């Protein structure tokens, strides 16, 4: 038993969804495209899980009507709740747990990543009734159920990264007493400087969050019902717990393709077209290790922006390889918690120059490596200001005086970005003109593409209103 398709997207998260959107934008014939996902809902915006779904009012996510609309309008096969147990890259086939063989001409791997479990660090307790992870809709639904059952109680968050910070904020908003535990010296250690981290930690403390740094959990105390009642730490301390949220990292879902495709940086190595070592296979999102042209090296990035853009680029390459340039991506990360909102562009390598008022609402930092500005961070900026730091980071200007850069602060990025808006001098036939960040503006289809994008738009509208109310 088997079916054959021209294009198959394997995965159910952001990257899979945006690949499907790009296919609909570019046009696929009836029956050419198949989406396979282990989840029971169609591809959706995963940031909604930590930024909206956990809040008291909840959040809209795609429903069966979305799947019906796209599958009926374009004849796209959407296979949900289906686990692919093996892949044969040479034969271009996928074997599902039900025994069905699905063949393809082109495969987009958008399998994302899974949450690391306590057991992978020699600990036990993931199966406890009140221990939660957050990676997919099922995790989020369970977390909400547990959270609502212990309002006013004690929540312990294991981990001080993205998931830990965003879940802690949601738990506070849901009126739980929150303690965060992590081994690093400060939160978001992979990105934040100590000075930046101090600002957010002070803000969280003012909201009632407690921090225990420099240690990790050693075990749980359990009751007769199999629920955690306390978290024991290696430093000898003990924390009462009505629920525990674990956010200790992720691992790309690459197992199906190990030994068949070239791997690098923990992911599937791809070229500038997101094409893997087998020319019929493309990898996008968390699983893809791709060349970042700006820095001249291969990286694997774990963020929604990279997932969206790499997915679109892969589809463009599949549909029209000759007209598709190499992926030229500026690394971008962001987060929104409480009334705070920050954005980061580029690389956090080299010397750090902080600027702005760290006692106020707007501040940031630049990273200067080997004489060039390579990274920019800004909290509390306007749309214009965020665009300015993005543009100046892509430009990678030479920096001769760190003191002067600190003095100019955000004004430096604003001034440099304004220079880019000025018309170029008349071309005299010699030399060349550098065009920065020139990208096509996509006109989305008024039919299936809009239907597919409806869930994304609904979240953006809801979240914008919700954030203004916090």
């Amino acid at each position: 038993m088997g079916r054959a398709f021209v294009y198959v997207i394997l995965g159910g998260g952001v990257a899979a969804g945006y690949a499907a959107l790009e296919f609909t934008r570019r046009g696929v014939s009836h029956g050419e495209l198949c989406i396979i996902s282990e989840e029971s809902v169609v591809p959706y915006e995963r940031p909604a899980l930590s930024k909206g779904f956990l809040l008291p009012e909840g959040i809209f996510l795609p429903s069966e009507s979305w799947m019906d609309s796209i599958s009926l309008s374009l004849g796209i096969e959407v296979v949900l709740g289906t686990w692919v147990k093996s892949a044969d890259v040479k034969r271009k086939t996928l074997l599902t747990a039900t025994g069905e063989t699905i063949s393809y001409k082109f495969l987009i791997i958008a399998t994302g990543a899974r949450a690391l479990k306590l057991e992978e660090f020699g600990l036990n307790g993931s199966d406890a009734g009140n221990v939660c992870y957050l990676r997919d809709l099922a995790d989020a639904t369970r977390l909400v159920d547990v959270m609502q059952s212990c309002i006013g109680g004690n929540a312990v968050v294991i981990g001080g990264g993205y998931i830990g910070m965003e879940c802690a904020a949601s738990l506070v908003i849901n009126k739980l007493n929150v303690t965060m535990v992590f081994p690093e010296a400060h939160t978001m250690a992979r990105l934040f400087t100590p000075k930046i981290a101090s600002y957010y930690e002070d803000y969280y403390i003012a909201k009632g969050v407690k921090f225990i740094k420099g240690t990790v959990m050693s075990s749980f105390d359990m009751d007769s019902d199999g629920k955690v009642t306390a978290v024991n730490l290696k430093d000898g301390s003990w924390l009462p717990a009505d629920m525990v949220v674990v956010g200790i990292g992720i691992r790309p879902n690459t197992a199906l393709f190990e030994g068949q495709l070239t791997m690098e940086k923990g992911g599937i190595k791809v070229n500038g077209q997101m094409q893997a070592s087998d020319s019929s296979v493309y990898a996008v999102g968390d699983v893809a290790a791709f060349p970042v042209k700006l820095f001249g090296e291969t990286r694997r990035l774990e963020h929604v922006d990279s997932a969206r853009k790499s997915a679109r680029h892969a589809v463009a390459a599949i549909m029209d390889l000759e007209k598709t340039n190499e992926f030229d991506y500026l690394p971008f990360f962001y987060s929104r918690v409480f009334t705070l909102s920050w954005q980061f562009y580029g690389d956090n390598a080299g010397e750090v120059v902080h600027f702005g008022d760290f006692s106020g609402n707007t501040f940031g930092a630049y990273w200067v490596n080997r004489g060039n500005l390579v990274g920019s961070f800004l909290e509390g900026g306007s749309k214009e200001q965020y665009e300015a730091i993005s543009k100046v980071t892509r430009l990678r200007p030479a920096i001769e005086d760190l003191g002067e850069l600190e003095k100019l602060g955000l004004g430096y990025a604003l001034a440099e970005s304004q220079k880019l808006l000025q018309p170029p001098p008349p071309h005299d036939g010699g030399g060349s003109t550098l065009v920065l960040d020139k990208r096509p503006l996509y006109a989305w289809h008024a039919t299936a593409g809009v239907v597919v994008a409806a869930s994304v738009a609904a979240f953006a509208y809801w979240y914008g209103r919700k954030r203004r109310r916090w």
Side-chain angles (χ1 to χ4, degrees):
M1 182 175 68
R3 286 182 287 172
F5 299 91
V6 178
Y7 315 106
V8 171
I9 300 171
L10 180 59
V14 174
Y18 275 76
L21 282 171
E22 189 66 12
F23 272 121
T24 64
R25 192 191 76 80
R26 291 176 175 268
V28 289
S29 299
H30 187 95
E32 286 188 335
L33 175 61
C34 175
I35 304 169
I36 308 173
S37 174
E38 292 183 17
E39 295 196 60
S40 59
V41 296
V42 293
Y44 57 92
E45 290 273 20
R46 291 194 192 277
L49 299 180
S50 60
K51 294 178 173 66
F53 193 84
L54 302 185
L55 299 177
E57 289 81 3
I59 182 63
F60 166 82
L61 283 172
S63 64
E64 292 298 317
S65 63
W66 185 96
M67 180 187 71
D68 293 341
S69 297
I70 186 172
S71 59
L72 289 173
S73 62
L74 290 177
I76 296 174
E77 186 72 19
V78 182
V79 183
L80 302 176
T82 299
W83 175 54
V84 173
K85 67 178 184 179
S86 66
D88 190 324
V89 171
K90 289 184 178 179
R91 295 184 179 182
K92 299 183 181 180
T93 58
L94 304 172
L95 179 63
T96 71
T98 60
E100 181 181 18
T101 298
I102 295 178
S103 63
Y104 58 85
K105 183 177 179 181
F106 294 101
L107 172 67
I108 294 182
I109 303 171
T111 46
R114 63 176 178 80
L116 288 172
K117 298 297 181 70
L118 292 170
E119 284 70 17
E120 296 175 71
F121 295 86
L123 302 169
N124 296 315
S126 291
D127 57 350
N130 55 346
V131 172
C132 303
Y133 293 84
L134 182 61
R135 189 62 192 170
D136 56 29
L137 181 57
D139 290 338
T141 301
R142 182 169 178 274
L143 199 159
V144 168
D145 289 343
V146 174
M147 181 171 60
Q148 291 178 345
S149 71
C150 55
I151 299 298
N154 298 307
V156 177
V157 176
I158 306 297
Y162 257 107
I163 293 299
M165 292 291 281
E166 295 192 348
C167 284
S170 296
L171 291 165
V172 167
I173 292 170
N174 280 279
K175 303 187 184 309
L176 277 83
N177 304 307
V178 180
T179 301
M180 294 184 67
V181 179
F182 47 88
E184 298 85 5
H186 58 77
T187 58
M188 293 289 292
R190 290 171 61 184
L191 175 60
F192 287 178
T193 67
K195 186 171 183 177
I196 292 173
S198 179
Y199 176 90
Y200 293 101
E201 290 174 11
D202 287 347
Y203 191 99
Y204 271 56
I205 290 170
K207 293 288 185 179
V209 177
K210 298 177 182 177
F211 291 94
I212 298 180
K213 310 174 189 178
T215 190
V216 295
M217 67 161 284
S218 57
S219 64
F220 290 136
D221 288 346
M222 307 277 233
D223 64 15
S224 58
D225 295 324
K227 289 187 176 182
V228 172
T229 58
V231 179
N232 299 305
L233 305 181
K234 279 195 174 181
D235 67 1
S237 57
W238 173 91
L239 300 172
D242 296 292
M243 69 175 295
V244 177
V245 178
V246 181
I248 50 178
I250 62 174
R251 181 159 295 164
N253 292 316
T254 60
L256 283 174
F257 303 96
E258 290 173 6
Q260 300 188 74
L261 299 174
T262 301
M263 301 286 166
E264 188 172 334
K265 302 288 179 71
I268 298 169
K269 184 180 181 179
V270 297
N271 61 20
Q273 307 295 359
M274 310 309 295
Q275 189 177 45
S277 53
D278 184 287
S279 61
S280 66
V281 179
Y282 292 71
V284 298
D286 290 348
V287 297
F290 63 91
V292 179
K293 293 177 67 175
L294 198 63
F295 303 120
E297 64 181 54
T298 296
R299 296 191 182 185
R300 190 181 60 79
L301 301 176
E302 301 169 357
H303 197 267
V304 62
D305 185 69
S306 173
R308 292 167 179 157
K309 292 175 180 175
S310 63
R312 289 174 178 169
H313 194 87
V315 175
I318 290 171
M319 302 290 276
D320 197 350
L321 183 60
E322 291 184 359
K323 293 184 179 180
T324 304
N325 296 324
E326 291 191 348
F327 192 38
D328 188 8
Y329 182 69
L330 174 65
F332 167 59
F333 303 91
Y334 75 91
S335 184
R336 300 185 185 104
V337 291
F338 298 116
T339 58
L340 305 175
S341 176
W342 60 260
Q343 294 186 13
F344 170 83
Y345 294 88
D347 192 17
N348 60 334
E351 297 181 83
V352 183
V353 176
H354 296 97
F355 62 82
D357 181 8
F358 277 75
S359 64
N361 298 319
T362 304
F363 62 87
Y366 297 118
W367 281 259
V368 178
N369 192 30
R370 298 179 182 177
N372 293 94
L373 190 151
V374 298
S376 301
F377 174 96
L378 182 62
E379 162 64 41
S382 65
K383 180 181 179 181
E384 176 190 22
Q385 291 168 340
Y386 286 131
E387 289 176 351
I389 67 168
S390 169
K391 290 176 181 177
V392 76
T393 306
R394 180 174 284 279
L395 183 62
R396 295 192 74 209
I399 303 296
E400 297 180 358
D401 188 336
L402 297 182
E404 183 66 15
L405 180 63
E406 180 180 12
K407 179 180 177 182
L408 293 172
L410 182 57
Y412 174 79
L414 292 169
E416 291 297 310
S417 65
Q418 285 299 313
K419 290 180 183 178
L420 298 177
L421 297 176
Q422 296 175 2
H427 188 53
D428 60 5
S432 62
T433 300
L434 178 65
V435 180
L436 295 173
D437 204 21
K438 185 176 181 181
R439 302 172 183 171
L441 296 177
Y442 295 131
W444 297 97
H445 278 235
T447 53
V450 172
V451 174
V452 179
S455 62
V456 177
F459 168 70
Y461 172 75
W462 178 91
Y463 184 67
R465 292 184 62 194
K466 176 68 183 174
R467 184 167 173 264
R468 287 194 292 270
R469 290 169 50 199
W470 286 352

